[in-house]
Amino acid sequence: MNSVAYSNIMRFILLVGLQVSILNHINFFGYINPYVYILFIILFPVKNNRLLFIFLSFLVGLTIDIFSDSGGIHAAACVSIAYARPVILKFCFGTVYEYQSIKFNTVEFSSKFIYITLMTVIHHFILFSLEIFNSSIIILTLQKTLFSSIFTIILCVMITIIFSRKSK
Amino acid sequence: MQQIINFIIRNKTFLLFLLLFSISLSFTIQSHSYHKSKFINSANFLTGGIYNYVSNVNRYFSLKKQNDILAQENNRLKSILFNSKSTKNQNYIDSLSFSHTYKFTSGIVLKNSYSSSKNTLLLNKGSLDSIKEDFGVISTKGIVGIIDHTSKHYATVLSILNTSSKISAQLKKTNHFGTLTWNGISPYYTQLLDIPKIAPVKVGDTIVSSGRSSIFPKGIPVGTIHDFKLDAAENYYEINVKLFNDMTNIEYVYVIENTDIQEITNLLNPNKNE
C-alpha cells in the first residue's frame, strides 16, 4: 500500500514538472501542446477510494492551472474525466474491470489504446471549450481538441510502453 | 433528517464532483475578468521560483538571437542619437526618449505563452522593485502588455495576446484612436477596432499607442496595418494589425511607470477624491 502511494506521489511530481517546464512550451505549429499530465489520472490504481481519486485529480488540474495562469480550466477538465472514468473503464475493458482490478501493464494494447484515446479527447474538449469560452468559434475549439489530442495520445502511449514494468 | 444524510452519503461521489467542478468553473470565470483571479496566478513564491530556474537554463538557447535584437536596438538608438540636431525641442516620438514622467525598469520574461486565448507572461520583477498593477510593459520593438498581478519578486503580465486585454491605440499619421483587442487566432496579428470611417486608413500604415489610457506613453510602436474592413454597422473600421513584436520570442522587456498617474486620475475623477 505504501509503495502504491509513494509511486503515485512521484508520478504526480514528475508529470507536473515535465508538463510545466517542457511540454507547455512546445507550441508545435503555433498552438499544439500535449497535456501528458493526465497520465496521472489515467494510470491511477482502479481499486481505490473514489473520493480521494476525484480530489487528487482536482489537485493535479489546479496545480497545472496555477503554473499556467489559466483560471480553473485544467481542474474542471480533470475532475470531469476522473468522475467519468468508471464508465469509460467499463466500456473499454468490459468484464475484466468488473471482476478484478486491472493492471494496466497486463491488459491488451487495443483496449488500453481506446481507453487513453477516450479519456484524452474528453479532457481536451472540456479544456478547450472552457479556455475559448465562445461558442461562435467552435471550429477553433474542435481543431485545437483534435490536434492536441493526437499529440497527447501518441506521447501517452509511448510513455506507458517505455515505462511499463514487465509483470510476471 | 435521516434521509438527507442518507442521500448525501449515497451520492457523496457525485456531490464531491459537483463541488469541485463548480469551484474550478468559478476560478475559470473569475480569470476571464481583469484583476479578479486572486490566488490562481503564477506570481507566487513556488511557481515563480520554478520558472526562474527553468528560464535560467532556457535563456542559454536564445543568447545569439537576443544579442542580435540588442544590437539592432543599439543601432537604431545610435542612429537617432547622432542624427538629431536639436535634442531639446524634439517631440516624443521614440519609445525610449520620454521626459521623466515615465520611469523604466528592465525585466526578464520567465514564462511566455501565446498558444491559448488567455495569454500571460511572468516577469522576474515584483512589488519589491516597485512594480504595481496597471503598469505598461514594452519590449525593444513594441507593446507587450499590462501588469496584472504582483508578488514580492514576480509579476504576471496580461499580454496583448489575451482576449480580455484592451489597449488604446491610434494611427501614427493622424490622431484617430481605437481599441486594440485580440481575436485569439494568430499570435502575429491583433485587431484595432473603433477607428472612425472618416480616418485615412491605408495598408502598411503604422499603429502606435495613443497615450490616452495613461498607462503607455504616446507613440510606442504597435504594428502596421495588414488589412481592414468596415464593421457591420459600417461606421467604424476593423483593422488587422501585424505586430512589430514577435510575441513568440520575448526575453528582455521594460516596465513603464507613469509617475503622474495619481494626479491624472484625481483630475479625471474629482468626486472620488473627497
Side-chain angles (χ1 to χ4, degrees):
Chain A
M1 190 59 217
N2 259 336
S3 81
V4 173
Y6 177 74
S7 74
N8 272 298
I9 291 170
M10 282 312 287
R11 203 182 275 157
F12 186 109
I13 295 170
L14 281 179
L15 282 173
V16 169
L18 182 74
Q19 183 69 41
V20 298
S21 59
I22 299 170
L23 297 178
N24 271 350
H25 308 288
I26 286 185
N27 294 319
F28 196 51
F29 291 135
Y31 61 91
I32 304 173
N33 278 332
Y35 295 100
V36 169
Y37 73 94
I38 57 167
L39 263 182
F40 176 77
I41 300 166
I42 291 176
L43 296 182
F44 199 81
V46 174
K47 275 274 164 74
N48 222 312
N49 188 351
R50 251 188 105 194
L51 291 178
L52 179 74
F53 172 53
I54 291 182
F55 184 71
L56 282 178
S57 309
F58 176 74
L59 215 61
V60 136
L62 200 68
T63 320
I64 300 286
D65 274 328
I66 293 175
F67 272 104
S68 50
D69 288 299
S70 50
I73 56 175
H74 287 280
C78 284
V79 168
S80 311
I81 58 166
Y83 183 70
R85 194 173 84 141
V87 183
I88 298 171
L89 278 172
K90 202 185 263 178
F91 174 76
C92 297
F93 299 110
T95 50
V96 186
Y97 165 66
E98 300 214 358
Y99 293 108
Q100 64 199 73
S101 74
I102 302 171
K103 293 239 165 47
F104 287 107
N105 296 329
T106 55
V107 290
E108 274 178 67
F109 177 74
S110 62
S111 48
K112 191 162 82 176
F113 181 73
I114 294 171
Y115 168 62
I116 292 179
T117 309
L118 271 176
M119 294 284 272
T120 312
V121 170
I122 295 173
H123 175 269
H124 282 34
F125 182 69
I126 297 171
L127 180 73
F128 289 120
S129 346
L130 284 178
E131 186 205 301
I132 294 169
F133 221 65
N134 187 349
S135 57
S136 67
I137 42 176
I138 194 156
I139 295 293
L140 185 69
T141 315
L142 293 176
Q143 186 191 354
K144 277 189 162 183
T145 307
L146 178 69
F147 291 126
S148 290
S149 294
I150 293 171
F151 206 168
T152 309
I153 291 165
I154 292 172
L155 272 180
C156 280
V157 169
M158 268 162 53
I159 290 174
T160 48
I161 290 174
I162 291 168
F163 288 98
S164 70
R165 269 163 277 155
K166 282 277 162 282
S167 51
K168 337 98 227 189
Chain B
M1 194 63 207
Q2 184 72 37
Q3 283 198 334
I4 296 175
I5 294 172
N6 273 342
F7 174 80
I8 291 176
I9 291 174
R10 242 185 305 126
N11 290 317
K12 57 181 191 291
T13 334
F14 180 69
L15 288 175
L16 180 73
F17 163 70
L18 218 60
L19 174 75
L20 294 178
F21 193 75
S22 43
I23 291 176
S24 40
L25 268 190
S26 70
F27 282 154
T28 310
I29 291 164
Q30 262 185 3
S31 78
H32 283 250
S33 49
Y34 187 38
H35 285 335
K36 275 271 182 66
S37 49
K38 281 282 173 287
F39 15 78
I40 309 297
N41 64 67
S42 61
N44 62 47
F45 169 71
L46 179 71
T47 53
I50 290 174
Y51 275 129
N52 200 359
Y53 184 75
V54 172
S55 150
N56 272 341
V57 176
N58 281 344
R59 227 177 294 154
Y60 283 103
F61 297 110
S62 63
L63 276 180
K64 195 161 179 282
K65 210 162 198 176
Q66 294 300 333
N67 260 338
D68 286 346
I69 291 174
L70 277 180
Q72 269 175 25
E73 195 197 12
N74 272 339
N75 188 15
R76 191 170 58 85
L77 293 179
K78 280 217 169 94
S79 73
I80 290 169
L81 184 68
F82 293 124
N83 288 330
S84 61
K85 298 263 159 28
S86 56
T87 45
K88 284 277 184 219
N89 288 331
Q90 206 181 23
N91 284 328
Y92 301 128
I93 46 165
D94 177 63
S95 58
L96 293 177
S97 58
F98 302 105
S99 66
H100 59 276
T101 344
Y102 293 102
K103 224 170 85 186
F104 288 78
T105 317
S106 71
I108 294 171
V109 174
L110 299 181
K111 188 207 82 169
N112 184 12
S113 75
Y114 48 88
S115 58
S116 75
S117 61
K118 308 263 166 204
N119 293 307
T120 49
L121 292 85
L122 185 70
L123 298 188
N124 69 341
K125 290 285 161 72
S127 55
L128 288 185
D129 307 286
S130 76
I131 285 179
K132 297 195 190 76
E133 284 180 3
D134 284 334
F135 285 7
V137 180
I138 62 169
S139 77
T140 56
K141 286 182 181 165
I143 284 186
V144 171
I146 296 174
I147 298 278
D148 193 7
H149 294 280
T150 55
S151 68
K152 270 186 181 168
H153 300 282
Y154 304 100
T156 58
V157 180
L158 192 79
S159 157
I160 48 170
L161 300 185
N162 189 316
T163 45
S164 55
S165 104
K166 287 187 172 53
I167 293 169
S168 176
Q170 66 168 59
L171 300 177
K172 193 176 182 185
K173 280 200 293 193
T174 62
N175 274 328
H176 296 101
F177 66 95
T179 317
L180 197 70
T181 56
W182 190 52
N183 60 8
I185 293 172
S186 165
Y188 304 107
Y189 297 94
T190 56
Q191 282 66 42
L192 182 62
L193 309 176
D194 300 340
I195 292 281
K197 199 178 167 184
I198 197 167
V201 175
K202 260 192 216 144
V203 170
D205 277 3
T206 308
I207 305 288
V208 296
S209 68
S210 76
R212 278 176 182 77
S213 60
S214 66
I215 292 174
F216 293 104
K218 186 175 173 174
I220 292 182
V222 176
T224 54
I225 297 178
H226 181 70
D227 56 17
F228 59 89
K229 62 171 195 287
L230 284 172
D231 65 358
E234 304 227 320
N235 285 326
Y236 295 103
Y237 283 119
E238 282 177 24
I239 301 174
N240 249 330
V241 182
K242 187 173 194 333
L243 294 172
F244 287 130
N245 255 334
D246 181 3
M247 290 297 287
T248 60
N249 176 29
I250 291 182
E251 193 157 338
Y252 292 92
V253 293
Y254 304 96
V255 182
I256 308 175
E257 177 184 357
N258 185 347
T259 46
D260 289 346
I261 196 157
Q262 191 68 43
E263 202 179 325
I264 292 169
T265 44
N266 283 347
L267 196 62
L268 290 176
N269 305 318
N271 301 330
K272 284 183 187 168
N273 196 25
E274 280 159 9

